[in-house]
Structure formats: structure tokens, C-alpha cells
Amino acid sequence: MEDEEGYMALSIQPRKKHKQNPQHQEPAFQRKYYTDPLEEPVVPQGRINDTENNSRLKNIISRLQEFMCKIPQNKLTESFRCKLCPENWLRLENKCYWVSKIQATWQMGQEDCRAKGSQMLVIQKQEEAAFIQSISEEAQLLWIGLMTTFPLGKWIWEDGSPLDENQSEALGPVEANSCGMLNDGKMIAESCSTVTSWVCEKEAFDLSSN
């Protein structure tokens, strides 16, 4: 209808909301879960139990062992140890080793190893020194995790263990700002500010069957 000034007056009433019948709601177990395809699927709690999770985990480990490890034929009757190293690292028994391609001071080498989640080489047996020399290509001088402490004036490894007394005597008198270095497989003392390559080490990842 029009008012006195000729304008059309509209009567607009709010739309009533219809209550949804609870009987028509989709049952919880039929509801769909939508996720980003790049994300992990959302799984309702209780849908996968611990037994299924353990089974899937064992299957993944088994496939990794088959792909990454050389499993002996008698693996069913004899346990084996499958040790893995990161890319560009080389393994000797239970450790992984990495030799730098650039040169720097001892302290910079130490910082680089720590940034890689490792430490500078701590030699525990002569086989390690020989192995490092064999993989170092043209690098003849290599920083290792050996340093001096003052005022005690002793050689210690980066992990806090002391250097063997016989090896300490071979290095000669302890001087300030001295660090350990491998020279053709033998340990020598050198100024920590000298620039050369270095060696990092870390424990190998154990992907064994048991």
C-alpha cells in the first residue's frame, strides 16, 4: 500500500527459522572429515587402535630396512645391526664422519660441527685416524676436537675426556691457543687460528630389526 506521500510501504517480517529435526541429523559415524590434501588426514579418535598403529610402524621399518640395508640371509635366526648416516657422511662401525670442503679456524670448525648436530672428531682408536685420512681426499691437515686448557695446561677432547698421557707427550709442551690436528693420520699441535679443513662426527642411526 502507498502512504500519503505516494511511497510504497513494504512490510518485511523476519523469516522464521525452522528447527532441524534431530532425527534427520547425520549420524556421527557417517560424518565426513574434510582436510587440506597437503596435510595429514584427520582421523576421529578411536578409529585406529594401538595394534593397527604398531602394525603400520613395523611395516614402514621393514620397508626401510629392505631399501636401505643389506640384510643377511640368516636374519631370521640372527639379529643384525643396520646403521645409517646422513647424506654425504661416511660410516665406520657406529659413527658417521664428515670432512669439510672449505677451510677455517678451529673455532669455526667447531661451530660448524655443532650446527650439524655433531661434534668435532674425538679419536678413540687408531683405526678412526686411518679411516679419516682415507676419506679426506686431498686434505692433509684436518682439525679434530682436541684443545688445550689453561691454567691447567692439559689436552682434552671436546667431549671433556682427557687425552692419553702417551699421546700428550708426543704432542710436546702445551702452549696457549693450541689445538689438535691430524697430519697424515698423526696428531700434531697447531695454533687454533690456523686455517684448514675439519672433521665432524655423530652417532649412526640404528635401523635394526631388534
Side-chain angles (χ1 to χ4, degrees):
M1 60 179 293
E2 297 182 351
D3 57 13
E4 295 179 356
E5 295 181 0
Y7 291 99
M8 179 69 72
L10 299 179
S11 177
I12 301 177
Q13 297 180 354
R15 189 175 181 180
K16 294 182 179 180
K17 295 183 179 180
H18 296 282
K19 294 183 179 180
Q20 186 175 8
N21 189 343
Q23 295 180 354
H24 296 288
Q25 289 184 355
E26 187 179 12
F29 65 86
Q30 292 182 353
R31 294 175 187 170
K32 297 179 181 179
Y33 295 83
Y34 298 94
T35 61
D36 190 314
L38 298 179
E39 295 180 353
E40 292 292 333
V42 177
V43 181
Q45 294 183 357
R47 294 289 296 275
I48 298 180
N49 56 35
D50 292 340
T51 302
E52 292 175 339
N53 281 331
N54 291 336
S55 177
R56 290 184 179 183
L57 180 59
K58 289 181 180 179
N59 182 52
I60 293 173
I61 294 176
S62 177
R63 292 172 62 186
L64 282 173
Q65 290 173 345
E66 182 179 354
F67 183 78
M68 301 293 297
C69 311
K70 184 177 180 180
I71 305 176
Q73 295 181 353
N74 60 346
K75 72 180 184 72
L76 296 178
T77 58
E78 181 180 304
S79 62
F80 77 102
R81 313 313 299 177
C82 177
K83 302 296 182 70
L84 304 179
C85 290
E87 185 178 6
N88 298 325
W89 291 62
L90 298 177
R91 183 176 66 86
L92 176 65
E93 298 179 352
N94 299 325
K95 289 185 179 181
C96 303
Y97 303 90
W98 181 85
V99 180
S100 70
K101 302 299 182 182
I102 61 174
Q103 296 183 341
T105 63
W106 187 91
Q107 183 177 1
M108 293 181 66
Q110 181 191 48
E111 293 174 353
D112 179 70
C113 289
R114 291 180 177 179
K116 290 178 170 58
S118 61
Q119 67 178 12
M120 296 184 79
L121 174 64
V122 176
I123 300 176
Q124 297 179 336
K125 50 186 177 181
Q126 187 59 35
E127 288 80 1
E128 285 184 284
F131 176 74
I132 294 302
Q133 203 65 48
S134 69
I135 66 174
S136 60
E137 299 178 355
E138 297 180 358
Q140 296 297 321
L141 300 176
L142 298 167
W143 285 129
I144 57 178
L146 187 62
M147 54 188 169
T148 54
T149 60
F150 279 89
L152 298 178
K154 294 184 178 181
W155 287 98
I156 62 169
W157 291 105
E158 190 179 4
D159 62 2
S161 59
L163 181 65
D164 181 84
E165 293 184 1
N166 294 331
Q167 294 175 320
S168 296
E169 293 178 359
L171 290 175
V174 177
E175 298 181 2
N177 193 38
S178 292
C179 293
M181 180 183 292
L182 274 183
N183 180 12
D184 195 22
K186 297 180 180 180
M187 288 189 295
I188 62 172
E190 187 60 65
S191 171
C192 299
S193 58
T194 300
V195 173
T196 190
S197 304
W198 61 91
V199 186
C200 303
E201 69 170 15
K202 65 168 61 180
E203 289 292 324
F205 180 76
D206 192 348
L207 188 64
S208 304
S209 59
N210 48 45

